[in-house]
Amino acid sequence: MAERFERHKQPWTYEEIQKLHTCAKKGMSLKAIAQALTRSEESVKIRAKLDKLTIAKLR
């Protein structure tokens, strides 16, 4: 069963946004960033797109 996120539709905090930027610059994968922030991959992807960040695609 997929992981459940209890933070559904919660606003992003300043600290979470900073951590997202840091993780993206380090080249972390979408899944790793989502786990680090305890948010869904879709939520992280949307926020990264809003902030014009590129998430590394690990193969």
Side-chain angles (χ1 to χ4, degrees):
M1 192 167 134
E3 289 182 44
R4 236 176 111 67
F5 293 94
E6 299 298 326
R7 303 185 57 203
H8 189 69
K9 300 252 184 195
Q10 293 293 312
W12 284 77
T13 64
Y14 178 77
E15 290 79 20
E16 287 176 320
I17 295 169
Q18 293 305 311
K19 192 169 185 179
L20 171 62
H21 282 253
T22 303
C23 292
K25 286 178 186 169
K26 286 183 180 178
M28 292 174 66
S29 69
L30 180 62
K31 189 172 190 174
I33 295 171
Q35 286 178 342
L37 295 171
T38 60
R39 288 192 173 260
S40 68
E41 290 180 30
E42 192 65 28
S43 174
V44 171
K45 192 188 310 182
I46 291 168
R47 184 66 208 201
K49 192 173 183 178
L50 285 172
D51 291 352
K52 295 178 177 60
L53 295 173
T54 54
I55 304 292
K57 291 186 170 126
L58 301 180
R59 296 179 186 149

